[in-house]
Amino acid sequence: MSLFLDIFWGVLTLLAWGVADFLVRVVAVRIGSVSTAFFVQAIGLVVPGAALAVLMMSSGLGDVDWVTVVWLAPLVALLLGVAYAVYYTGLERGSVSVVSSVASAWLLVSVLVAALALSESVSWQQGGMIALVLAGILTIGVQPGEGSRNSSGIGYGLAAMVFLGFALALWKPLTEAAGPFLAVLTARALASIVTLGLIRARSMALIWPSTRFGVWVLVGAASLDAAGFVTYNIALDRAPVVVVAPLAAAHPLGTILLAMLFLRERAGRFQAIGIALTLIGVVGLSVVSES
């Protein structure tokens, strides 16, 4: 039952991030990717902030390793702030299916960091399922005839993959030091400052949606994105990165499905194969992790 709950939190992360990325695309084409990145992070502070307030009123923060939080939270925030800016630019300018799929190969980076730096072990069964999920994600991003790397957004996806991979691997020690809610709040608050710094450095203006629809889409994206980080951190607080990360990294499934329904993006043969491989890998990972 305990492992089932661990996997359950990972699946919630998959769903939250999948829908959030689709909503980001909708609003980013209206107000720009960098403004979207800042407001998603800033508005998203409400979710972990409220959860942290409830926790403090009920049982307090508990044991917090403030020394680790002080040096690790800014590092995670820097990686996360850059990742948001790059990733959202890709969602704005490229194919949603390609960018979200390629960026989600952060799984490979996170698992390597967890194995090499955090001394987490990976069984051969887990390794096989992780490889299958990764193969599926990369196959989803293959679109013959789509055009250049820039037009499809593959370059943005690859850059986001690296930054997200390191950031999301380091969530594990940050969560262990601060707890899931404080970790999300501190890292995302600092990440929003990083994004704001990028905006000022590039002399860009912050643009707020001009319609009520745009505002609601932005708020929805921010809320789901933040909720995804909370559920991801709860899962990391209970299970290893090598179990949680593959589930969270499969979130392009939801994004691609919504893009097909509402943005008229169509899956080619390779994308259909990739979706099938990812689903099999996610289910397989759940099975081998429970055994």
Side-chain angles (χ1 to χ4, degrees):
M1 175 63 84
S2 176
L3 190 52
F4 172 80
L5 289 176
D6 300 343
I7 294 170
F8 170 75
W9 288 113
V11 172
L12 283 184
T13 304
L14 182 160
L15 296 174
W17 281 349
V19 178
D21 285 352
F22 171 76
L23 296 179
V24 162
R25 164 61 182 243
V26 173
V27 73
V29 297
R30 290 169 168 79
I31 67 173
S33 54
V34 182
S35 290
T36 303
F38 172 75
F39 285 124
V40 163
Q41 293 175 89
I43 296 172
L45 294 175
V46 174
V47 175
L52 184 63
V54 172
L55 178 65
M56 291 181 66
M57 287 188 294
S58 60
S59 59
L61 285 177
D63 294 329
V64 176
D65 182 357
W66 290 106
V67 174
T68 300
V69 172
V70 166
W71 73 264
L72 188 55
L75 176 58
V76 171
L78 178 61
L79 293 167
L80 195 63
V82 175
Y84 264 85
V86 173
Y87 183 44
Y88 285 6
T89 300
L91 289 178
E92 176 192 2
R93 300 180 182 178
S95 165
V96 173
S97 302
V98 171
V99 175
S100 63
S101 303
V102 175
S104 289
W106 61 260
L107 164 66
L108 177 61
V109 179
S110 287
V111 170
L112 288 176
V113 171
L116 296 176
L118 305 181
S119 301
E120 290 193 2
S121 60
V122 182
S123 69
W124 69 268
Q125 297 99 327
Q126 287 177 323
M129 292 301 104
I130 289 170
L132 193 59
V133 173
L134 180 61
I137 290 171
L138 294 179
T139 304
I140 291 171
V142 176
Q143 286 190 325
E146 185 71 18
S148 68
R149 290 167 58 89
N150 289 333
S151 64
S152 65
I154 291 178
Y156 292 109
L158 289 172
M161 175 192 77
V162 174
F163 285 105
L164 282 171
F166 277 95
L168 293 175
L170 293 176
W171 278 111
K172 178 68 173 180
L174 181 59
T175 300
E176 291 174 343
F181 302 122
L182 182 60
V184 174
L185 186 65
T186 54
R188 285 176 61 93
L190 292 172
S192 66
I193 296 174
V194 171
T195 305
L196 183 61
L198 291 174
I199 293 173
R200 297 307 184 198
R202 295 166 62 180
S203 300
M204 300 175 65
L206 275 175
I207 303 174
W208 183 254
S210 58
T211 64
R212 182 176 298 180
F213 172 78
V215 172
W216 280 112
V217 171
L218 179 58
V219 171
S223 300
L224 286 171
D225 183 71
F229 272 96
V230 170
T231 55
Y232 182 72
N233 273 28
I234 291 175
L236 286 182
D237 201 33
R238 301 169 55 92
V241 172
V242 295
V243 173
V244 177
L247 299 174
H251 72 81
L253 294 173
T255 306
I256 291 171
L257 178 60
L258 291 171
M260 290 177 182
L261 291 174
F262 297 103
L263 300 181
R264 305 303 180 186
E265 289 192 4
R266 290 292 176 259
R269 179 175 58 184
F270 286 97
Q271 285 186 321
I273 294 173
I275 290 172
L277 288 175
T278 305
L279 282 173
I280 294 170
V282 169
V283 174
L285 180 67
S286 302
V287 173
V288 300
S289 296
E290 283 191 282
S291 60

